[in-house]
Amino acid sequence: MIEHLFVLSITLFALGALFALCFYKWQMLGNYLSFILAAIASCVNIAIAISVLFNHTAERFNFLLYHAIITYSFLIDSLSAIFILAISVISLIASVYSLGYTKLYVNKRDMRFFGFHFNLFLLAMILVVTANNALVFMIVWELMTIVSFFLVIFEYENPFHRKAGFVYLFMSYICAVFISVAFFIMFSYVKTWTFDFDSFRYAGDIMPAISKNIVFFLVLIGFGIKAGIFPLHLWLPLAHPAAPSNVSMVMSGVMIKTAIYGFIRFYFEFLTPSPPWWGIIILIIGASSAILGILYALLEKDIKTLLAYSSVENIGIILIGIGLSMIFKSYNLMALSSLAMIAGLYHVLNHAVFKSLLFGCAGNIYYSTHTKNIEQLGGLIKRLQVTAPLFLVAVLSISAIPPLNGFVSEWLIFQSLLNGFTIPSVIVKVLTAICGATVALTGALVATCFVKAFGISFLAMPRSEYAQHAREVPVIMYVSMGLLAGLCIFMGLFPVKIMTTINHVNTELLGVNIAHTITSYDWLQTKTLQTNFSEISLKSVTVFGLMFFAITVGAITLINPGFTKKIYKTWTCGISPEPRFGYTATAFSKPFRIIFSNLYRPRREIETTYTVPKYFVKSIVYIAEITPIFEKYFYAPLSRYVLSISNKVRWIHTGSVHIYLVYIFITLIISMLVIGW
Amino acid sequence: MIQLIILPILQIVVIAGLSPLIKGFINNIEARFQCRKGSSLFQPYYNLAKLFRKDAVISETASWIFIATPYVTFVSILIIALLVPVLSSTVPANFTGDVILVIYLFALGRFFLALSSLDTGSAFGGMGGSREMTISSMAEPAMMLSVFNVAIINGSTNLSNITQAMLSYKLLSPSLFLSLAALAIVIIAEAGRIPVDNPFTHLELTMIHEGMILEFSGRYLALIEWASCMKLLILLTILVNTFLPWGIASGLTFPGLIVSFFLYIVKIGFFAFLIAIVESSFAKVRLFRIPNLLGTSFVLAVLAIITHYIVS
Amino acid sequence: MKQHIIVNSQTIDVLAVMMLIATILHISTGRLTTCVWAYAIRSFILACASGIIAYLSGIYHIFITTGITLVIKVVIIPWFLFYIIKKVGIKKEVESFLSFTLSLLCSCGVILVAYYATEPIIQFESTLMKHCLPISIAITLVGFFTMITRKKAITQILGLLAMEDGLFFAALSTSYGMPLIVELGVFFDILVSVIIMGIYVYRIKETFESIDIGFLKELRE
C-alpha cells in the first residue's frame, strides 16, 4: 500500500515537472498544473508519513532497474517519516503559495523550467530522506543540489544572483565530496558491494576509533555546509535572497534540514557508539552558530538575508538539541538523550513552519512593493492587512513567545540543558550551563531582531513610494500562509501530540520510549525524567490569558463607559510628522553595533556638504558597514590560496583533446593497477 | 478544593493591589532622602484612578498593535502573578508553567511594547524600544544562568517547588548567594530602575521605558503603568520567595496566611528600601556602560554555577 | 591539637563569597573611589570572617589579627588612599589595557582556574575550606591580574592589597592564621609599602604630570 502511494507521489512529481515543460504557449497553465500536481503529491506523502508514524512499521522497498549493481532501495522508518512530514507540509504550502507568487513573473520570463525544477526539487528532497543506499543517496543529493541551484539563479540577469548561485554550487560540491569520502571510508570496512545503508548500520562496531573520528569530521563538514553552520554558512545569506520567495520557503524551511537528517543518520545509526566529545563538539558548534547567526541577522537590512542568517541561528539551536542528545547517549542517559532529541526534532518542525511563513511574508512584501530592503518600507500594516497578522504570528513564534510553537522547543531545549547536571564530567556540566546562557541570549536577540523586522517594515509611516502604494497580495497566497500560521498556533497549544509523534523516532533510534513520562494528562511535563523538573501547559496559559483579557476589558469599560478616542498626529516636538522622523533599522540595531563592535568591526563614513561652509549643511551622507570577518579572514585567504595553486598547475590544461585523453587513459591504468594490487 | 480557587485570586489581588503602594513607598523614601516631604504613599493609586477615567489620544499613524499592546502587557503580567508564589508556597496554577515561562511572558509584554513604540513613528519611541530590547538582551543570559542554578539546586524550575525546597535550607549556600547577587542586578535592569534606567526622567534622550510609552494616554497608559508597577513587585517577589522564603505559609490556613502576609510586606519593604537607597546614591550610568554592569551579573551567575558544580 | 579543629560553618563560606563579590566589584567598576570602597568592604568582610573563625576555633590570638585588620585595612589604608587620590588630584576614571567586559571575562576565567586547581585538594578537606581556599586563591590571582592590566599606580596598590588579602584569607582559613608575630610583620609590611607607594605615586605625578606608570618606561634612558 505504502509502496504504491510512494510510487504515485513520485509519478505525480515527475508528471508535474513534465507538464511545466510541455506548455510553451500557455506557460502559466503548465506551471499551475505542475504546482497542483506537486500539492497533490505532497498530500500523498503526508499520508505516507502519518501512516508510517502511527503504524510503527518501517516500510522498505527496492526498485530493480536494469543495471543490477545499484538497487534503488528506499526505507521509510519513523525518522524518515518525520522529515517527510516536514518536507511535504512545506511543499504543499509552497506549491499552493506559488500559484499566486509566480504571477510576479508572468510574461516577464520563461517560466517553463521553473515548474520543472521546482517539482524535481521537492521530489529530490523526499528521496534524500528515504534513500537506503549510499549511491542512491548521493545521486538524489546531487539532484537536489543541482535543481536548487537552477532555482537560485532563476533571475540570472542579476550578477549578484549568479554569484550567489555559483557560491552555492561550489560549496555544495565540497559538501558532496566530503560526504562521499565518508561513505567510502565506511565502505572500506563493511565491504558490502550493494552500498546499502543496512550494512553501514554496523559500521560503528567494526571501524577503529581513528577512522570513526575521521568520518565524524567529514560528515560534520559535509552536512555542515548544507545545514549552514558557522563558519560554513557562506552560501546561505547569498542564496536565499537570490532565490524566488517560494523557493526560499522550501530551501530554508526544509532543504537545510536534510542535512540534520544526515547528521542523525550518521551519528545515531552508522557511527555508534560515539565518544562524548563528538556531542560536545556539536553542542559548541550549535551554540556558536546560534549566537553568531542571530548577531549578523540583527544588523541586516535586506529582509531575506536577515531570514537567512536567522536560519543559521535556528540550525544552531537544533544542533544544540542533537549534540546534547549525543552527549547524554554516550553517558548512557537514554531517557535524557531522548528528551534532547525530541527538543531538537521539535525545533526542526517548528523552524520549518515559521521560517516558511516568514519567507512567505517576505515574498508578499516583495510581491507588493518590489523591494526587500526594510529601510524602504514602513506602514505596511495598513496596506497589507492580512499579511501583517500572519507576519506577526511568525515573528512571535520565532522569538519563542508563549503560547506559540517556538516557545515549546525553546523550553524543551532549556529543560534538556538543565538536565546536563546529571552528566558526571564537571566540564560538560559547566558547558551545558553556559550553553543555556547562550540560548537565552540568542532568544533575546532573536526577539530584538524580529521586533526590528516587523516594526520597521510594517509600522510607522511608509518611507518610500513602493511602500506607499503597496497592495494586498492574491488570496491564494495568504490563505496558504494562513495554514502555516494555524500550524504555529496548533503546535504551540497542543505540543503533546507532536511530541508523542517524535517519540516514535526515539523508540526506534535510541530504544527508549519516554512518551508516558513526558506527558501527563494533557499538559507537558518532564517530571519523571530522572529529575523532578517541571511542567508547563500553554493551553491553560492561553485560557487564563483570555479570561484575564475579558475581565480587564469588562472592568475598564465599567469604570469609564463614555470613553472616547481622539485621533491626532504623533507628537514630534511641534513639527508635523514625516516618515524620516521614525526610527530606522540601522538606528534600531545601533546599540548592538557598538556593544559587539569587536565582532562587527563597523566602518562608518560621514560626508557632509555645505552650502555655506561649516554652518549651513546641504546634505549628509552616512555610510555604515560591518566587516564580515569570516569572509575576510577565512574565505578570502583560502580562495586566494586556491587560485594561486590553480595558477601553478595551469600548464596541465593544454586545450588539446589528445592530451586530455592521455590523462584519462593514465588514470584508468593506474586505478586498475591499484585495484589489482 | 476551595483553596484552588481562593489562592490564585488572593495572589492576583495582592500583586495587583500592593504594586502601586510599593511604587509610592519607593518614591516617598527617595523624596525623604532628598530632604523633601514627598508625595503620599497612595499617590500612584490616585494617578491610576485618574488615568482610567480619562479619554485617550491616539496617533493617526498607529495601528491595532498600539491598542493591543496595553492589554497584552497587562494580561501577560497577570498570568505571571498566577505562577509566582506570593503568600503561600502552594501555587494551584503551578502546572501552567515554570520560571522559564515567566521569563518569556515578560518577553511577550516587552515585545509588544517595543513594537508599539515603533508604531507611532516618533523618534523617541523607537529609541526607547531599541534601548529596552538591548538591555533586556544583555540581561537575559545572567538571568537564565542564575535561574538555572537555583533550579538545579532545588530540582525544579517551577517556582512553587523551588520555594518549597528552599524552605528546608537554614542559610543560603554560597552558590545561592552568588545567584542572589546576580539576580538582584538583573532585576534592577529588568524593572528599569537607576542605575540602568531612570523612571522619573523627562528628558527624552535619557528615557528607556518612559520613551517607549511616550505616546500612550488615558486608560492605555494606566494599564501600562500598572503593569510596570506589578512587574517590579513580581520580580521582587520572585527574589524574596526564592532566596528568603522563610515564614511563607505552605498551605491555606488563615493564621498562616496572615503571618506570611506580614512577613511578605516586611521583606518586600526591605528590598524596596534598598532600591530607594541605590537610586538615591547612584547616578544613571551611560547606556554603553550598562553591559559592564550586566556582565558583572553574568560573571556572578557563572561563578554561582561553578561553585555549585565543583564544590558540592 | 589546634590544627584539627574543624569549623563547620556556612557563614564563613557566605562571607568568602561576599569577598569574591567585592573583588568582582573592584574589577567591574570604572571609578577609582569605588575601587577603594570595594577594598574597604572586602577588608571589613575579611575582618568579620576572621573574628568568627577566632570565636569558633577558640584561637584567641586571631582576635588580635581581627582588630589589626579592622584598624589598618578597613580604616587607615582606605583613608590614606582617598587622601592620596584627593591630594594628587587624579582623574577618577580607572584606565585599563583591556576593555571592561574583557577584563571581567578574563578574571572570571582566572577564578575558574582557581576553582579548578583547588578541586583535588578540597575534596578531602574540611567543609570550611571548600569555598575559602579557592576563593582566597582567586582573590590573589585577580589581584595579580589587575596589577598587570591596570595603568595607574593607585590601581597597582589596590591589586597588591587584593593579593595580600587573598593570601591572608588563605592562611586564615586553612591553618587558622600564621603565628601572631608573622602576621604582625605582614601587617606592618603592608602598611609601610602602601605608604611608600603612596609617596611614590605623588612623586611620579610630580615628575610626569600623570600617574600612568607607562611613563616609567621613559626612565630607561
Side-chain angles (χ1 to χ4, degrees):
Chain A
M1 179 60 197
I2 299 282
E3 186 171 355
H4 293 148
L5 285 177
F6 191 65
V7 174
L8 175 67
S9 84
I10 294 178
T11 324
L12 284 171
F13 276 127
L15 268 182
L18 288 178
F19 270 132
L21 276 187
C22 290
F23 291 84
Y24 180 69
K25 203 150 188 192
W26 299 296
Q27 284 181 6
M28 286 326 287
L29 177 67
N31 267 306
Y32 286 156
L33 272 176
S34 71
F35 292 142
I36 289 168
L37 284 175
I40 297 171
S42 306
C43 290
V44 173
N45 282 330
I46 292 174
I48 293 177
I50 287 175
S51 104
V52 169
L53 278 172
F54 287 93
N55 294 334
H56 313 288
T57 46
E59 296 285 333
R60 79 178 51 236
F61 18 86
N62 301 317
F63 303 104
L64 271 171
L65 296 190
Y66 41 84
H67 28 301
I69 187 158
I70 313 177
T71 331
Y72 288 88
S73 67
F74 294 93
L75 168 73
I76 307 182
D77 55 3
S78 341
L79 181 63
S80 305
I82 283 281
F83 279 89
I84 292 179
L85 190 64
I87 292 170
S88 316
V89 169
I90 303 306
S91 306
L92 170 63
I93 283 156
S95 311
V96 178
Y97 180 81
S98 303
L99 289 175
Y101 188 75
T102 42
K103 283 191 190 131
L104 200 58
Y105 302 115
V106 176
N107 300 333
K108 289 201 184 126
R109 53 178 61 249
D110 194 345
M111 285 298 292
R112 283 174 301 163
F113 283 100
F114 185 84
F116 177 69
H117 290 135
F118 189 74
N119 273 33
L120 281 189
F121 180 41
L122 301 185
L123 174 61
M125 282 191 301
I126 295 286
L127 294 182
V128 162
V129 295
T130 49
N132 196 33
N133 180 308
L135 290 178
V136 177
F137 183 84
M138 286 319 293
I139 291 170
V140 287
W141 182 263
E142 286 303 285
L143 178 68
M144 184 175 86
T145 302
I146 290 168
V147 287
S148 55
F149 161 73
F150 282 118
L151 289 168
V152 167
I153 58 159
F154 179 62
E155 293 172 61
Y156 52 83
E157 320 79 19
N158 188 332
F160 289 109
H161 292 190
R162 285 205 301 272
K163 187 195 164 206
F166 285 119
V167 169
Y168 171 49
L169 194 64
F170 181 69
M171 294 198 71
S172 297
Y173 273 111
I174 296 175
C175 147
V177 168
F178 275 92
I179 299 169
S180 9
V181 173
F183 272 128
F184 277 119
I185 291 178
M186 281 163 62
F187 168 72
S188 69
Y189 289 98
V190 296
K191 294 216 167 65
T192 318
W193 282 100
T194 53
F195 289 96
D196 247 13
F197 276 1
D198 296 332
S199 59
F200 290 130
R201 288 205 166 89
Y202 309 102
D205 304 328
I206 315 168
M207 289 164 69
I210 179 88
S211 2
K212 266 168 82 175
N213 292 344
I214 292 173
V215 173
F216 168 76
F217 280 111
L218 288 172
V219 170
L220 182 62
I221 296 171
F223 285 120
I225 290 174
K226 202 64 164 185
I229 59 177
F230 255 86
L232 307 170
H233 66 287
L234 192 62
W235 65 272
L236 259 149
L238 291 171
H240 283 313
S245 291
N246 48 350
V247 176
S248 338
M249 239 169 141
V250 184
M251 274 178 77
S252 178
V254 282
M255 188 193 78
I256 55 175
K257 307 296 166 18
T258 55
I260 300 291
Y261 166 81
F263 280 134
I264 298 177
R265 272 273 182 252
F266 267 86
Y267 295 152
F268 285 86
E269 286 198 345
F270 300 166
L271 295 175
T272 51
S274 56
W277 61 268
W278 288 10
I280 295 172
I281 285 183
I282 302 269
L283 186 66
I284 292 172
I285 284 180
S288 40
S289 292
I291 194 83
L292 289 170
I294 197 60
L295 278 175
Y296 279 102
L298 203 52
L299 291 204
E300 216 29 81
K301 281 179 288 187
D302 182 312
I303 186 151
K304 288 181 80 180
T305 318
L306 183 151
L307 293 178
Y309 275 121
S310 143
S311 295
V312 175
E313 173 253 321
N314 279 290
I315 285 289
I317 290 184
I318 293 168
L319 285 184
I320 288 177
I322 306 280
L324 212 51
S325 177
M326 284 168 73
I327 296 177
F328 283 133
K329 192 177 166 220
S330 52
Y331 285 109
N332 214 14
L333 302 162
M334 295 316 274
L336 292 180
S337 169
S338 188
L339 177 70
M341 178 60 97
I342 289 181
L345 286 180
Y346 206 116
H347 203 74
V348 166
L349 298 181
N350 280 347
H351 181 244
V353 172
F354 56 62
K355 192 46 70 69
S356 312
L357 183 52
L358 282 167
F359 267 112
C361 293
N364 286 6
I365 294 174
Y366 184 68
Y367 189 93
S368 49
T369 63
H370 297 279
T371 177
K372 289 177 291 188
N373 184 353
I374 56 175
E375 302 278 34
Q376 309 231 315
L377 303 171
L380 290 184
I381 195 166
K382 298 203 169 141
R383 290 161 185 85
L384 307 181
Q385 286 186 344
V386 188
T387 307
L390 293 174
F391 195 35
L392 185 66
V393 168
V395 158
L396 285 173
S397 72
I398 199 172
S399 311
I401 301 289
L404 293 164
N405 62 351
F407 177 73
V408 181
S409 47
E410 195 100 343
W411 186 83
L412 285 168
I413 293 272
F414 275 126
Q415 290 292 334
S416 344
L417 282 169
L418 263 169
N419 279 301
F421 81 99
T422 43
I423 296 170
S425 152
V426 172
I427 293 177
V428 183
K429 277 193 220 177
V430 174
L431 191 71
T432 53
I434 303 280
C435 274
T438 320
V439 176
L441 178 59
T442 310
L445 292 175
V446 172
T448 314
C449 177
F450 284 95
V451 163
K452 184 190 87 174
F454 186 86
I456 304 295
S457 51
F458 275 82
L459 303 177
M461 291 167 142
R463 292 189 197 79
S464 67
E465 282 293 304
Y466 313 115
Q468 183 81 45
H469 302 299
R471 272 211 316 263
E472 189 54 281
V473 294
V475 182
I476 189 88
M477 281 162 79
Y478 56 71
V479 166
S480 59
M481 284 157 58
L483 280 176
L484 284 177
L487 268 180
C488 279
I489 296 167
F490 175 80
M491 288 167 75
L493 294 187
F494 304 96
V496 169
K497 307 239 176 349
I498 316 285
M499 283 172 68
T500 39
T501 317
I502 299 175
N503 189 51
H504 297 322
V505 179
N506 290 321
T507 338
E508 256 176 42
L509 210 60
L510 303 167
V512 273
N513 186 354
I514 56 166
H516 53 286
T517 58
I518 46 174
T519 57
S520 86
Y521 309 98
D522 204 1
W523 50 69
L524 248 151
Q525 67 159 5
T526 53
K527 212 169 192 169
T528 40
L529 275 175
Q530 298 198 2
T531 54
N532 175 22
F533 258 115
S534 174
E535 45 189 324
I536 60 166
S537 162
L538 291 177
K539 218 171 12 180
S540 358
V541 171
T542 319
V543 172
F544 286 134
L546 291 175
M547 233 160 66
F548 288 137
F549 176 70
I551 294 172
T552 315
V553 172
I556 286 180
T557 326
L558 278 181
I559 293 174
N560 184 4
F563 175 75
T564 51
K565 281 184 255 182
K566 291 195 195 81
I567 308 288
Y568 204 70
K569 282 177 193 161
T570 306
W571 182 70
T572 41
C573 303
I575 328 171
S576 51
E578 278 182 50
R580 62 197 178 117
F581 290 167
Y583 237 44
T584 58
T586 318
F588 197 84
S589 49
K590 172 112 188 187
F592 291 97
R593 205 159 61 237
I594 294 175
I595 291 171
F596 294 101
S597 58
N598 278 337
L599 171 72
Y600 294 132
R601 294 160 197 267
R603 188 182 68 87
R604 60 192 287 226
E605 273 174 31
I606 300 175
E607 242 175 69
T608 322
T609 46
Y610 301 96
T611 42
V612 178
K614 287 288 175 195
Y615 296 106
F616 293 98
V617 177
K618 193 171 160 194
S619 68
I620 298 176
V621 180
Y622 174 81
I623 303 169
E625 271 184 352
I626 58 168
T627 323
I629 45 174
F630 284 99
E631 277 85 333
K632 196 169 173 188
Y633 298 108
F634 180 68
Y635 285 105
L638 191 71
S639 72
R640 269 202 303 278
Y641 183 69
V642 170
L643 278 180
S644 75
I645 295 273
S646 336
N647 262 330
K648 277 176 194 151
V649 294
R650 210 166 153 178
W651 56 269
I652 294 179
H653 286 272
T654 54
S656 150
V657 177
H658 295 95
I659 300 287
Y660 289 140
L661 286 176
V662 169
Y663 291 154
I664 296 172
F665 185 69
I666 291 173
T667 319
L668 198 63
I669 295 291
I670 290 176
S671 47
M672 283 168 75
L673 285 176
V674 168
I675 291 167
W677 182 54
Chain B
M1 188 58 214
I2 189 123
Q3 182 178 343
L4 294 184
I5 299 164
I6 290 184
L7 255 184
I9 295 175
L10 209 60
Q11 282 182 4
I12 287 177
V13 167
V14 169
I15 293 281
L18 275 186
S19 55
L21 183 68
I22 297 299
K23 191 184 176 191
F25 178 69
I26 295 178
N27 290 354
N28 193 285
I29 296 286
E30 273 174 34
R32 280 169 198 279
F33 276 128
Q34 295 162 358
C35 298
R36 291 188 284 121
K37 194 154 169 268
S39 54
S40 147
L41 279 180
F42 300 100
Q43 189 58 43
Y45 293 100
Y46 307 143
N47 288 351
L48 285 180
K50 180 186 72 189
L51 283 173
F52 271 120
R53 285 198 304 271
K54 285 202 166 199
D55 289 342
V57 183
I58 287 176
S59 159
E60 60 190 6
T61 328
S63 61
W64 51 268
I65 300 260
F66 189 80
I67 310 281
T69 299
Y71 294 103
V72 173
T73 318
F74 191 72
V75 166
S76 67
I77 299 279
L78 282 183
I79 300 175
I80 298 171
L82 267 188
L83 306 176
V84 175
V86 180
L87 298 182
S88 165
S89 64
T90 324
V91 177
N94 204 13
F95 68 89
T96 321
D98 57 352
V99 64
I100 299 175
L101 182 72
V102 169
I103 293 176
Y104 277 88
L105 280 173
F106 280 134
L108 169 66
R110 190 189 309 127
F111 195 95
F112 269 85
L113 270 179
L115 279 186
S116 67
S117 74
L118 287 166
D119 202 3
T120 52
S122 100
F124 305 124
M127 193 182 291
S130 158
R131 289 174 177 180
E132 171 91 4
M133 293 310 280
T134 311
I135 291 170
S136 64
S137 316
M138 297 293 110
E140 207 84 331
M143 188 160 182
M144 199 51 92
L145 262 190
S146 35
V147 163
F148 255 48
N149 189 31
V150 175
I152 288 170
I153 289 176
N154 295 311
S156 177
T157 46
N158 279 49
L159 283 164
S160 146
N161 305 355
I162 292 178
T163 306
Q164 263 153 15
M166 283 299 295
L167 276 172
S168 61
Y169 284 74
K170 294 278 181 309
L171 185 72
L172 286 183
S173 74
S175 164
L176 282 172
F177 195 82
L178 282 168
S179 290
L180 171 67
L183 206 59
I185 298 178
V186 169
I187 282 176
I188 286 180
E190 282 279 317
R193 312 298 302 195
I194 290 176
V196 173
D197 182 12
N198 185 354
F200 302 108
T201 184
H202 288 286
L203 185 63
E204 292 87 344
L205 298 179
T206 59
M207 296 191 295
I208 300 175
H209 184 260
E210 297 297 309
M212 282 204 295
I213 62 174
L214 199 64
E215 294 289 331
F216 285 100
S217 54
R219 58 168 61 159
Y220 304 118
L221 184 61
L223 283 176
I224 289 179
E225 291 278 349
W226 200 355
S228 77
C229 292
M230 275 158 58
K231 185 174 179 182
L232 175 65
L233 182 58
I234 285 175
L235 287 170
L236 288 179
T237 309
I238 293 177
L239 191 74
V240 160
N241 283 346
T242 305
F243 293 100
L244 318 159
W246 301 292
I248 195 168
S250 44
L252 181 84
T253 51
F254 190 65
L257 281 184
I258 295 288
V259 170
S260 151
F261 180 71
F262 279 107
L263 274 174
Y264 175 73
I265 297 273
V266 169
K267 287 180 207 162
I268 294 285
F270 173 71
F271 276 97
F273 189 71
L274 278 189
I275 287 183
I277 291 180
V278 168
E279 295 212 321
S280 318
S281 44
F282 287 93
K284 181 181 173 304
V285 298
R286 268 168 50 208
L287 185 67
F288 293 106
R289 278 285 166 80
I290 293 172
N292 290 343
L293 190 69
L294 295 170
T296 313
S297 158
F298 178 72
V299 167
L300 290 175
V302 170
L303 290 178
I305 289 262
I306 305 286
T307 39
H308 175 64
Y309 277 153
I310 292 190
V311 179
S312 47
Chain C
M1 288 300 287
K2 283 174 180 174
Q3 277 84 347
H4 291 292
I5 302 165
I6 289 170
V7 184
N8 187 358
S9 166
Q10 226 177 354
T11 329
I12 306 287
D13 272 351
V14 172
L15 287 175
V17 165
M18 284 165 79
M19 281 174 66
L20 190 61
I21 296 176
T23 314
I24 290 170
L25 176 68
H26 172 195
I27 316 157
S28 61
T29 180
R31 284 165 177 274
L32 267 182
T33 43
T34 322
C35 284
V36 179
W37 271 116
Y39 171 70
I41 293 167
R42 191 180 57 220
S43 305
F44 180 69
I45 301 168
L46 184 59
C48 294
S50 71
I52 292 173
I53 290 179
Y55 174 71
L56 290 175
S57 64
I59 309 172
Y60 291 106
H61 82 74
I62 302 182
F63 275 127
I64 302 171
T65 326
T66 309
I68 300 173
T69 309
L70 270 178
V71 174
I72 293 186
K73 288 192 179 170
V74 185
V75 183
I76 298 183
I77 293 182
W79 172 80
F80 183 68
L81 289 177
F82 280 125
Y83 173 75
I84 294 268
I85 290 172
K86 202 172 169 192
K87 173 100 179 181
V88 183
I90 308 167
K91 271 196 299 174
K92 296 279 162 52
E93 293 276 304
V94 173
E95 287 165 45
S96 170
F97 290 112
L98 299 177
S99 75
F100 278 101
T101 327
L102 204 57
S103 56
L104 252 179
L105 287 178
C106 285
S107 31
C108 181
V110 165
I111 296 168
L112 291 194
V113 170
Y115 266 101
Y116 191 74
T118 49
E119 195 203 346
I121 310 172
I122 57 181
Q123 298 296 338
F124 305 104
E125 287 297 334
S126 64
T127 36
L128 170 63
M129 270 178 56
K130 275 203 164 170
H131 284 275
C132 296
L133 186 62
I135 285 178
S136 50
I137 289 177
I139 293 173
T140 315
L141 289 180
V142 170
F144 208 150
F145 178 75
T146 48
M147 283 184 76
I148 295 170
T149 53
R150 297 290 150 93
K151 285 183 181 167
K152 281 183 180 152
I154 279 264
T155 42
Q156 300 276 311
I157 301 178
L158 284 166
L160 183 73
L161 288 172
M163 286 175 70
E164 200 276 334
D165 270 4
L167 290 176
F168 175 64
F169 189 53
L172 192 67
S173 58
T174 50
S175 56
Y176 304 112
M178 291 167 274
L180 186 60
I181 187 76
V182 179
E183 260 166 30
L184 287 179
V186 170
F187 276 123
F188 190 65
D189 268 1
I190 275 293
L191 189 61
V192 168
S193 60
V194 167
I195 290 170
I196 290 175
M197 280 195 286
I199 294 165
Y200 263 118
V201 170
Y202 192 63
R203 303 297 299 178
I204 293 172
K205 165 81 178 177
E206 285 212 322
T207 317
F208 299 106
E209 288 301 307
S210 159
I211 58 163
D212 188 335
I213 49 174
F215 283 102
L216 289 178
K217 276 190 275 186
E218 288 177 15
L219 290 175
R220 218 168 29 173
E221 258 99 270

